[in-house]
Amino acid sequence: MVQYEYDDQDQMESGGMTFDFRGYLFKVLNLWKLVLLCIGAALIIAYLINIRKQNIYRLDSLISVENDQNPFFTANTSISFNWGGVSGKVGKVITSLQTRSHNEKVVDSLQYYLEYLKEGKYRKEDIYKSAPFYVEIDNEKGQLLNHALGIRFLNDKQFELFSEFEKSEGKVQFYGDKHMGSVSLPVGIFNKVFEVGKPVNLSFIHFTLYTKPDQAVTNGSEYFVKFLDFDQVVNSYKNAVKTEPFSKESSSVLKLSLTGHNKAKIVDYLNATTAILSKTELERKNLYATNTIRFIDSSLASVNNNLKDVSDEMNTFRKQNKVFDVDAEMTEVSSRLREYEMAKEIEQTKLNYLNALDDYLRTKTNYVNIAAPSSVGIDEPNIQQSVGKITALAIERQSLEYTMKESSDLFKDLDRRINAEKKVLLETIDATKSTIRLQLNSIQKQAATLEAKLSNLPEDQQEYLKIQRKLDISQEAYNVYMAKRSEAAIVKAANISDITSIDDAKDIGGGLIGPNKSLNYMMALMVGFFLPMLIIFIIYLLDNTIHGSDEVERLSRIPILGLIGKYKYHNNLVVFEKPKSAVAESFRAIRSSLQFIFKKHEVDQGLGRTIMVTSSVSGEGKTFTSINMATVYALSGKKTILLGLDLRKPKIFGDFGISNDLGMVNYLIGEHSLEEVTHQTEIENLAVIPSGPVPPNPSELLMGDTMTHLLTRLRKEYDMIVLDTPPLGLVTDALQLTQFADATIFMVRLDYTKKGMLSLINAKYRMGEVKNISFVLNFYKHKTNHNYGYGYGYGYGYGYGYGMYGNAYHESEGNKGVIGRIKRFIKRI
């Protein structure tokens, strides 16, 4: 039966380790002000963040990527240019937008490395085009980086340049070639007056300031200019422009979007990036035509020189010889011979082009400078297509060199395709050259036949016809090349870019995407609510103090005798000095409850009752309860004596205004009699024996026979004997006194006593070492308990010298201020 009782008790104690959600809920309700304070603080922080954050905008534009046909390129055009199709161009455009070279051109054209700023409420605001002035910088001289230089307008003609330098050296950048340098700076406050429109030449800055005619300048207004690292600005925009297809149905239409803090800057950057991208694409597209025109120009120069030489030769011949007529038959023969020589010249030009192309393909690696085969009259489709493909692939490879590594698989694929196309082209060139050589041999044979007929003419006539044929051939070649060059120039001039803007970026209002103020407030609300809940949860989870009577009942089978509320008072004599207080009533209730215990424990007639008051550690209200229990019995007419048996820490003498020079220690060692150490108090029927001087052996004194004889004598002389003993959890003195107690009161101070301390008294209770023991809950507050409805309180002073607790019962005057309130609030948590 005893074993079952132990098992049941162990189960009850282990139940104290489970999470008490109800207790946690009451803890939260008790600290609702903290939760509300945290929510308010979080909302205030969110508000401060929202008003300090810069607005974030996102604007977009639409561009089209198409293979636009040149309006002058028709079936009658003799020069053929192969620009490729739309396939793959969208990917190239997206890649080009992320290249460093493209963004460098955009940033350089807009001068985004120069910021115009104005002091705002929380920061320097970028005013961009809203500034009433602009500066023209000297690109060949260094500009100080990352330092805001102040500009204060004195009047329409003058301004003051001001700043403060903390370091003697600064970094500058030369925006002409973008190289960096360093200059010395004037440490301290700097200010100097300059004239508007006149160059500002300092060691660290070089620019000329102009005012805008359409914006008035206010005297005394202050602005700032700031130069940024060009490379850093480019990097910030490099991946900033987001590109995506406008719709699934139209993959050739792209939407460009950009986010930033200044909408005017976003608009200009999007439009500039479209314009520069279109211009770059047109230059790339015209590269083939440009190479062809260059080739024709070089050939045309040679033909022109040859034409001049032949003309000079004809003029010289005419001067040296008389003018004569050649018969019609010979003239016809000469005309036919001229046609053959012209055909021979054309075929030889083709052969020279093919030989040069063959050598170029075998010795060069950059194939972007190949002229169109049709420029020399080569109409072979395979050659034209192969040259066009190789040129397009070479241009694509060149454009990717800014963003891809040489070891990239994409480069390897392009090189493989170029080599494959080049192999096919070389084979086609060899076959075409063989065909041309056959044609040249045939032309030469037919020309030789006609030359034989002309050999019968006189030498001067033969020479004249020969010069005339050379002149006609040169003139005709010159006319052909001039026509082809004009044709190529017209095609190039009329060419348009494959990239066109459908919808330019424009600030029409809106575009605001951040900060998300509603989300920030929602997050603040959540953080403000759940953070204190988490903190309270952790504190509650780690809290091992007792907070309510339900916890005591769950942790121990020892009954609860009564409750004592919290009450602020300057001493421990609450029952005597405040007999109508709620605390005094609590002690009367405990006195009534003790009567039931005394009835169960019979003693000899005429002998007094003994009450022992103890606790687990100091600071739990043991002395306070002893004094007031003795007082409540004395006031009821019972002859009562209070013994101060806490020999290690004498305490009870101070409230009664008596000396601690003589007491229990003096009596127990035989120095003084009982009468000499007993003090009558101002309270009727109440006597007190203080502890006396602190002895070296308190336990031995309490275990001696003198103590037994003393209590036997006091039972005969007094109705009630109250023993104020040391804490049971710290020393063994109290255990030695339990044998004299008819009833034992074990003090439990709520929000102070540790749950583990109850295990000690539980073990002694189960072993029978303490009997007739009951709990009295001290510092009871209604809102910390779930079962009782008191709301009273008191205050008293107590400071025990050992143990891990050291709070005082008396409330010090210093704790009545703000600091004291904060300490008490933290203590409540």
Side-chain angles (χ1 to χ4, degrees), residues 489-708:
I490 291 172
V491 171
K492 178 182 177 181
N495 200 12
I496 58 177
S497 176
D498 292 343
I499 300 174
T500 56
S501 176
I502 298 178
D503 187 12
D504 289 338
K506 186 177 181 181
D507 179 15
I508 56 175
L512 182 66
I513 62 171
N516 193 337
K517 297 182 179 181
S518 299
L519 179 61
N520 290 344
Y521 284 125
M522 184 63 66
M523 292 293 294
L525 191 63
M526 294 177 62
V527 172
F529 177 76
F530 286 107
L531 182 62
M533 296 291 286
L534 178 63
I535 295 175
I536 294 173
F537 174 78
I538 294 174
I539 293 175
Y540 185 79
L541 201 63
L542 299 178
D543 184 17
N544 62 346
T545 58
I546 298 172
H547 301 285
S549 60
D550 55 338
E551 295 182 21
V552 176
E553 292 173 346
R554 188 174 69 250
L555 295 173
S556 177
R557 298 185 60 181
I558 298 174
I560 297 175
L561 186 64
L563 308 172
I564 302 175
K566 184 178 179 180
Y567 187 78
K568 293 183 179 180
Y569 199 63
H570 64 278
N571 60 31
N572 291 330
L573 303 177
V574 179
V575 173
F576 176 69
E577 297 183 0
K578 296 288 184 179
K580 295 183 179 181
S581 64
V583 173
E585 191 61 34
S586 298
F587 282 105
R588 294 188 189 98
I590 295 173
R591 181 187 63 187
S592 300
S593 299
L594 284 172
Q595 295 302 115
F596 295 98
I597 297 176
F598 292 151
K599 289 180 180 179
K600 296 179 181 179
H601 184 66
E602 297 292 338
V603 297
D604 294 339
Q605 188 69 25
L607 297 180
R609 299 285 188 172
T610 305
I611 302 173
M612 186 180 81
V613 182
T614 187
S615 63
S616 58
V617 292
S618 70
E620 294 176 321
K622 174 176 56 62
T623 300
F624 173 81
T625 302
S626 300
I627 293 174
N628 286 283
M629 284 304 302
T631 302
V632 79
Y633 274 110
L635 292 177
S636 66
K638 300 287 187 180
K639 188 177 181 182
T640 307
I641 187 169
L642 174 61
L643 303 184
L645 298 181
D646 190 352
L647 305 183
R648 303 171 188 270
K649 190 70 174 181
K651 196 68 179 177
I652 62 173
F653 59 91
D655 291 292
F656 295 102
I658 59 178
S659 173
N660 193 47
D661 295 338
L662 297 177
M664 289 296 302
V665 174
N666 305 94
Y667 174 78
L668 293 175
I669 63 177
E671 284 186 353
H672 295 273
S673 63
L674 179 61
E675 289 74 12
E676 291 175 336
V677 298
T678 303
H679 301 269
Q680 294 297 325
T681 67
E682 58 179 337
I683 303 174
E684 187 179 0
N685 298 323
L686 178 59
V688 176
I689 302 179
S691 301
V694 178
N697 55 344
S699 296
E700 288 73 10
L701 292 178
L702 296 176
M703 291 174 59
D705 293 337
T706 306
M707 185 66 192
T708 303

Side-chain angles (χ1 to χ4, degrees), residues 13-282:
E13 292 180 3
S14 64
M17 301 303 292
T18 60
F19 182 72
D20 182 9
F21 181 77
R22 186 184 180 191
Y24 170 70
L25 182 61
F26 272 86
K27 184 74 172 179
V28 172
L29 294 176
N30 184 35
L31 297 174
W32 66 270
K33 292 182 180 179
L34 173 64
V35 177
L36 193 62
L37 181 64
C38 290
I39 292 175
L43 290 175
I44 292 174
I45 293 174
Y47 169 75
L48 295 176
I49 291 175
N50 283 339
I51 63 174
R52 281 169 171 78
K53 273 192 173 182
Q54 290 182 278
N55 288 340
I56 301 175
Y57 302 94
R58 180 168 60 205
L59 301 177
D60 51 59
S61 63
L62 294 179
I63 63 173
S64 173
V65 183
E66 300 288 352
N67 184 25
D68 291 327
Q69 179 68 42
N70 193 304
F72 287 92
F73 189 73
T74 64
N76 297 325
T77 307
S78 62
I79 298 182
S80 174
F81 299 107
N82 188 342
W83 287 299
V86 180
S87 177
K89 283 191 176 181
V90 174
K92 295 175 186 176
V93 170
I94 295 175
T95 304
S96 297
L97 288 171
Q98 298 176 352
T99 60
R100 180 170 186 82
S101 59
H102 169 76
N103 287 279
E104 281 181 349
K105 293 177 182 178
V106 180
V107 171
D108 212 6
S109 66
L110 297 173
Q111 288 192 341
Y112 274 9
Y113 48 80
L114 171 60
E115 288 186 338
Y116 296 88
L117 308 172
K118 189 174 183 179
E119 194 68 52
K121 187 175 181 180
Y122 302 108
R123 68 188 70 83
K124 288 182 174 65
E125 303 286 350
D126 186 0
I127 56 177
Y128 190 41
K129 292 182 177 179
S130 300
F133 67 95
Y134 64 95
V135 297
E136 290 184 358
I137 65 174
D138 188 346
N139 290 330
E140 303 305 319
K141 297 180 180 179
Q143 314 294 340
L144 181 63
L145 295 180
N146 302 318
H147 187 90
L149 297 171
I151 295 176
R152 183 184 297 112
F153 283 96
L154 304 178
N155 49 56
D156 294 342
K157 303 296 183 181
Q158 291 182 321
F159 68 93
E160 181 184 15
L161 187 68
F162 65 92
S163 184
E164 183 175 359
F165 300 100
E166 297 179 354
K167 298 181 179 179
S168 60
E169 189 177 25
K171 184 185 292 185
V172 296
Q173 186 167 29
F174 299 78
Y175 289 109
D177 55 7
K178 310 302 186 293
H179 77 276
M180 309 290 285
S182 60
V183 295
S184 58
L185 300 175
V187 178
I189 298 176
F190 171 86
N191 52 70
K192 191 173 182 180
V193 177
F194 296 91
E195 292 186 12
V196 175
K198 298 294 181 65
V200 176
N201 288 311
L202 299 172
S203 62
F204 54 88
I205 202 74
H206 304 85
F207 65 80
T208 304
L209 184 146
Y210 298 94
T211 56
K212 296 179 180 179
D214 57 339
Q215 296 186 32
V217 176
T218 305
N219 294 343
S221 58
E222 294 183 359
Y223 301 90
F224 298 87
V225 291
K226 186 178 181 181
F227 293 91
L228 305 176
D229 187 338
F230 181 81
D231 295 330
Q232 291 181 1
V233 176
V234 171
N235 284 334
S236 66
Y237 282 101
K238 191 175 179 182
N239 298 313
V241 178
K242 304 301 179 183
T243 310
E244 59 183 351
F246 179 67
S247 63
K248 295 181 180 179
E249 294 77 13
S250 180
S251 60
S252 62
V253 178
L254 298 178
K255 182 172 77 170
L256 311 182
S257 59
L258 178 65
T259 59
H261 301 298
N262 190 302
K263 289 198 285 186
K265 269 193 168 183
I266 298 174
V267 168
D268 287 353
Y269 197 91
L270 286 176
N271 293 334
T273 200
T274 301
I276 291 176
L277 189 65
S278 178
K279 180 181 177 182
T280 304
E281 175 63 18
L282 182 59

Side-chain angles (χ1 to χ4, degrees), residues 363-526:
T363 59
K364 304 293 183 180
T365 57
N366 182 12
Y367 307 119
V368 298
N369 296 320
I370 301 177
S374 57
S375 63
V376 295
I378 297 178
D379 300 325
E380 174 63 36
N382 292 333
I383 293 180
Q384 290 183 353
Q385 292 177 4
S386 295
V387 170
K389 289 181 180 178
I390 290 176
T391 304
L393 291 172
I395 294 173
E396 181 181 352
R397 191 186 194 283
Q398 189 180 59
S399 65
L400 292 175
E401 290 177 354
Y402 294 100
T403 56
M404 307 293 291
K405 293 183 178 179
E406 190 65 31
S407 60
S408 171
D409 292 337
L410 186 57
F411 277 145
K412 294 179 181 178
D413 180 65
L414 286 173
D415 291 339
R416 179 186 58 78
R417 292 166 61 188
I418 290 173
N419 291 331
E421 198 65 45
K422 184 174 71 172
K423 183 178 180 182
V424 173
L425 178 58
L426 289 173
E427 294 176 355
T428 306
I429 289 174
D430 290 339
T432 305
K433 287 196 296 185
S434 299
T435 303
I436 292 175
R437 289 191 184 100
L438 293 174
Q439 291 178 353
L440 283 173
N441 291 333
S442 176
I443 291 172
Q444 287 176 354
K445 289 179 181 179
Q446 294 179 9
T449 303
L450 295 176
E451 286 178 352
K453 291 183 179 181
L454 293 176
S455 63
N456 295 326
L457 293 174
E459 291 184 1
D460 55 350
Q461 291 187 13
Q462 290 183 30
E463 183 67 22
Y464 171 75
L465 292 176
K466 183 178 180 181
I467 295 174
Q468 185 64 46
R469 288 196 304 274
K470 288 169 60 178
L471 181 62
D472 292 341
I473 290 172
S474 297
Q475 185 64 48
E476 189 172 347
Y478 181 81
N479 293 337
V480 170
Y481 277 118
M482 281 297 295
K484 288 185 177 293
R485 190 195 184 286
S486 299
E487 188 177 288
I490 291 172
V491 171
K492 178 182 177 181
N495 200 12
I496 58 177
S497 176
D498 292 343
I499 300 174
T500 56
S501 176
I502 298 178
D503 187 12
D504 289 338
K506 186 177 181 181
D507 179 15
I508 56 175
L512 182 66
I513 62 171
N516 193 337
K517 297 182 179 181
S518 299
L519 179 61
N520 290 344
Y521 284 125
M522 184 63 66
M523 292 293 294
L525 191 63
M526 294 177 62

